[in-house]
Amino acid sequence: MAVFVALGAFLMTLAGGWTAQRVTDRRHLVLGLAGGLMLGVVGLDLLPEALKAAGEEVFGVPAALLLFVAGFLLAHLVERLLAARQAAHGGEESNGRAPEVGLTAASAMVGHSYMDGVAIGAAFQVGGGMGAAVTLAVVAHDFADGFNTYTITSLYGNARRKALTMLFADAVAPVAGAASAAFVTIPQGLLGGYLGLFGGVLLYLAAAEILPEAHHEHPARSTLLCTVAGAAFIWLVVGLAG
């Protein structure tokens, strides 16, 4: 049952990527929406869950928040190192961006989708009602995952084929996660730490890359409205799932 319902997440992820691919003539709106979706996922979904799962403090600060900051700094460090290495070898970047950063970020999205599948499988082990609630949350925000995976990969100058490959991997990941849930048990503390770290990476991409690019050539109100709409959509999803 868990694998069957995870197929809904598979289809929703592909739908999100297809949408991002089809509206390239409104690239600034796509990026604005992606930034809002990522901001909403981080602030309204990942961080609350991370604090709940790994709320113990380290020197007066919740461990999940320390890992959140570490994730932000790690993303910044990786991007700078890759960009410096590419420049040293005379390689061309896409608007100052190293394509490897886009692939790394998309890979992190795939890992997150896999964990979503594990959550579906674990919830169905608890009971059908819990499984249905978790599935609703995962399927609803997997549209945003697919949208963001394709957008991030493309933004960093990767070929369309690579963007589609990462999108497909992101779509398959929750199905694989649900199937493996019968054999894999993830400690709550480890899960919370992962969510905090991943949240920091996503926030960096949204704040330092996606949103500045969205407003670079088209600082329009419509772009800002798309950003607000993206965050509001995640709020709605979280509220309905709760």
Side-chain angles (χ1 to χ4, degrees):
M1 177 60 74
V3 175
F4 177 75
V5 299
L7 290 174
F10 171 85
L11 296 175
M12 192 64 80
T13 302
L14 291 181
W18 180 85
T19 301
Q21 186 183 173
R22 296 292 293 179
V23 291
T24 51
D25 57 328
R26 294 288 184 270
R27 186 168 178 268
H28 59 292
L29 299 180
V30 171
L31 293 175
L33 180 61
L37 290 171
M38 292 166 73
L39 176 62
V41 167
V42 171
L44 306 177
D45 186 17
L46 294 182
L47 272 184
E49 289 297 324
L51 289 169
K52 192 182 303 180
E56 64 275 8
E57 294 188 352
V58 178
F59 204 62
V61 178
L65 291 183
L66 287 175
L67 286 166
F68 173 75
V69 173
F72 189 98
L73 294 175
L74 179 64
H76 179 55
L77 177 63
V78 168
E79 183 188 37
R80 290 298 89 208
L81 288 177
L82 287 174
R85 187 189 69 177
Q86 189 156 331
H89 287 80
E92 292 294 326
E93 297 180 35
S94 175
N95 295 322
R97 295 182 172 87
E100 294 92 339
V101 175
L103 292 176
T104 302
S107 298
M109 296 291 292
V110 173
H112 179 60
S113 293
Y114 175 84
M115 298 298 290
D116 281 346
V118 172
I120 291 176
F124 269 97
Q125 291 178 16
V126 174
M130 175 65 73
V134 171
T135 299
L136 172 64
V138 169
V139 170
H141 90 246
D142 269 355
F143 179 88
D145 285 351
F147 191 99
N148 289 335
T149 298
Y150 186 88
T151 301
I152 290 171
T153 309
S154 301
L155 177 65
Y156 280 84
N158 290 285
R160 180 173 179 271
R161 176 178 56 82
K162 289 186 178 180
L164 289 175
T165 299
M166 296 309 300
L167 172 63
F168 184 75
D170 191 50
V172 170
V175 180
S180 66
F183 312 101
V184 177
T185 302
I186 302 175
Q188 279 289 98
L190 182 61
L191 178 60
Y194 156 77
L195 292 176
L197 188 71
F198 181 62
V201 172
L202 275 193
L203 183 62
Y204 176 82
L205 292 173
E209 301 293 333
I210 302 291
L211 291 177
E213 180 69 14
H215 291 277
H216 178 60
E217 295 182 359
H218 297 275
R221 291 181 181 177
S222 55
T223 306
L224 178 59
L225 288 175
C226 282
T227 302
V228 174
F233 173 75
I234 299 300
W235 185 16
L236 176 65
V237 169
V238 171
L240 290 175

